[in-house]
DNA sequence: AACCAGGACACAA
DNA sequence: TTGTGTCATGGT
């Protein structure tokens, strides 16, 4: 390790590296409900990608990354964080309207990750009608009980990889329910079994068009349009996939159809496909985060609810 | 103490 | 095709 000090910034064979990137906010990106097993420790974030433990920290030079073991190649992390995406180019494709301007202005540095498809699929099967904190808890129990240990630095506690489809498929429904996932347990179990028996091959989806890939995901039990679009967006990088959950439904109603009584979910869905352009998925994430954290009517509602 | 959460599904009309 | 009840569990 002596040689590290002699190596230039961005050295590729040590335990750490720096990605020189701007407009990348780790808090908003890792804590915004697209990934569920990153933990904030002070100003740093710790997580596991594949079999690798990682610690990320914002510095003036960019994003500082620390792994548990020396790396010759950081491509896996660069891919996960989508470092090469020029976010300014993406933002430029958003519709130029008031709601989008507000969302973009208040979520500067929000990015989309590129997660491993199986982990993403399993996580979002567990997400239905759950709050983000609860999804994190369920996923944590699952990885702790059925995921392989990964190497961590001495100072850090134990960490686990996300359990394989094979391992989940070998669980009983009772064991899965014990991870607090309730009625989602049979969905996850059957989905894992379908993957193990190769009824649907997740790798194959990468070469398909959006609608074809979506049709394959919809074959899994517990996967409807919304969860399929989450996996297409966060796991496969289809930038046009536009998950419509309860938050986005409210956002589109309030921001784009104010004082209009009958707006059906079908109309909202059609509007979402038409209005937000080739990077609609990114736009969706900005609206989602904006509604959850900054939008005033949301905060007012929350305040009035908690004081009554 | 009702109401809600990054929904999906079976079933009715 | 569109509308309702149900499914666990925990937070506000």
């Amino acid at each position: 390790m002596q040689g590290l000090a002699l190596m230039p910034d961005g050295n590729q064979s040590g335990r750490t590296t720096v990605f020189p990137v701007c407009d990348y906010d780790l808090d908003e990106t890792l804590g915004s409900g697209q990934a569920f097993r990153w933990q904030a420790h002070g100003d740093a974030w710790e997580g596991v990608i594949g079999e690798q433990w990682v610690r990320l920290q914002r510095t003036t030079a960019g994003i500082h990354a620390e792994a548990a073991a020396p790396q010759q190649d950081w491509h896996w992390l660069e891919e996960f964080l989508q470092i090469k995406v020029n976010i300014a180019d993406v933002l430029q494709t958003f519709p130029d309207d008031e709601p989008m301007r507000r969302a973009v202005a208040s979520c500067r540095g929000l990015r989309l990750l590129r997660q491993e498809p199986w982990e993403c699929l399993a996580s979002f099967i567990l997400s239905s009608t759950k709050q983000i904190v609860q999804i994190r808890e369920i996923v944590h129990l699952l990885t702790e009980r059925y995921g392989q240990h990964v190497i961590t630095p001495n100072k850090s506690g134990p960490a686990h990889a996300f359990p394989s489809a094979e391992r989940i498929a070998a669980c009983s429904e009772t064991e899965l329910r014990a991870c607090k996932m309730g009625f989602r347990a049979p969905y996850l179990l059957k989905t894992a079994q379908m993957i193990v028996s190769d009824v649907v091959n997740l790798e194959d989806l990468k070469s398909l068009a959006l609608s074809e890939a979506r049709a394959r995901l919809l074959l899994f039990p517990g996967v409807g349009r919304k969860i399929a679009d989450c996996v297409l967006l966060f796991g496969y990088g289809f930038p046009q996939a536009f998950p419509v959950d309860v938050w986005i439904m409210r956002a589109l109603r309030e921001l784009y159809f104010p004082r209009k009584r009958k707006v059906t979910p079908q109309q909202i869905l059609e509007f979402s496909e038409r209005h937000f352009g080739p990077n609609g998925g990114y736009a969706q994430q900005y609206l989602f985060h904006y509604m959850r954290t900054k939008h005033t009517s949301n905060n007012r509602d929350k305040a009035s609810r908690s004081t009554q």
Side-chain angles (χ1 to χ4, degrees):
Chain A
M1 290 298 156
Q2 297 284 26
L4 288 186
L6 300 176
M7 302 188 69
D9 281 337
N11 98 76
Q12 296 290 300
S13 62
R15 243 169 30 79
T16 69
T17 192
V18 174
F19 299 109
V21 60
C22 57
D23 284 327
Y24 202 124
D25 188 305
L26 290 175
D27 296 341
E28 292 188 336
T29 302
L30 297 173
S32 69
Q34 51 177 315
F36 301 105
R37 43 202 234 97
W38 288 84
Q39 290 190 302
H41 290 94
D43 63 340
W45 285 88
E46 295 182 13
V48 176
I49 301 171
E51 317 264 301
Q52 298 273 10
W53 176 94
V54 203
R55 180 185 168 88
L56 302 173
Q57 204 163 0
R58 181 77 229 190
T59 69
T60 54
I63 294 176
H64 179 270
E66 171 190 358
Q71 304 292 313
Q72 285 134 38
D73 180 359
W74 291 91
H75 180 263
W76 53 278
L77 182 53
E78 184 177 277
E79 173 75 3
F80 179 85
L81 293 172
Q82 293 285 287
I83 294 294
K84 286 181 180 168
V85 168
N86 184 329
I87 196 64
D89 290 345
V90 173
L91 299 183
Q92 214 162 22
T93 68
F94 289 0
D96 185 22
D97 56 38
E98 184 56 26
M100 279 315 306
R101 278 195 293 271
R102 286 208 302 260
V104 167
S106 65
C107 306
R108 187 185 177 104
L110 175 61
R111 303 288 193 116
L112 289 186
L113 303 167
R114 179 69 55 81
Q115 302 175 60
E116 198 282 313
W118 158 243
E119 173 172 347
C120 190
L121 172 61
S123 299
F124 278 97
I125 284 175
L126 302 176
S127 76
S128 67
T129 46
K130 278 290 182 192
Q131 297 186 134
I132 291 174
V133 283
Q134 284 191 60
I135 303 166
R136 300 172 70 94
E137 168 68 5
I138 296 170
V139 171
H140 177 71
L141 287 171
L142 204 58
T143 58
E144 196 174 49
R145 295 180 184 181
Y146 303 110
Q148 298 237 313
H149 275 95
V150 301
I151 303 169
T152 56
N154 295 330
K155 61 191 176 189
S156 180
H160 305 263
F162 192 84
S164 65
E166 288 76 9
R167 185 63 191 89
I168 296 296
C171 287
S172 68
E173 185 181 322
T174 306
E175 288 176 313
L176 294 181
R177 281 182 185 267
C179 297
K180 305 182 178 177
M181 65 182 74
F183 61 84
R184 303 157 195 82
Y187 294 155
L188 180 63
L189 182 55
K190 287 172 191 165
T191 295
Q193 290 167 346
M194 284 173 67
I195 289 170
V196 170
S197 57
D198 206 34
V199 175
V200 177
N201 187 312
L202 292 182
E203 194 66 25
D204 290 348
L205 302 201
K206 294 178 179 174
S207 60
L208 299 180
L210 173 63
S211 61
E212 297 301 318
R214 180 185 288 136
R216 299 278 180 97
L217 290 172
L218 289 174
L219 295 174
F220 293 114
V223 177
R225 172 64 185 254
K226 187 270 171 180
I227 290 177
D229 279 5
C230 284
V231 179
L232 292 168
L233 184 62
F234 305 135
Y236 288 96
F238 286 95
Q240 218 167 357
F242 195 105
V244 178
D245 72 331
V246 293
W247 289 98
I248 291 297
M249 187 69 74
R250 270 205 291 275
L252 299 189
R253 283 181 191 285
E254 291 181 15
L255 300 175
Y256 289 95
F257 301 93
R259 67 171 149 279
K260 182 172 179 187
R261 284 190 280 105
K262 279 185 66 89
V263 188
T264 67
Q266 191 53 238
Q267 290 175 295
I268 294 289
L269 192 60
E270 285 167 13
F271 176 76
S272 75
E273 292 181 312
R274 160 166 41 92
H275 183 69
F276 294 96
N279 295 298
Y282 277 88
Q284 172 275 156
Q285 196 63 15
Y286 275 79
L287 289 171
F288 177 75
H289 196 253
Y290 172 63
M291 286 298 284
R292 286 197 356 110
T293 60
K294 321 259 167 74
H295 189 42
T296 54
S297 95
N298 169 49
N299 294 333
R300 187 189 337 120
D301 290 349
K302 277 191 160 175
S304 63
R305 247 180 278 136
S306 61
T307 55
Q308 286 175 2

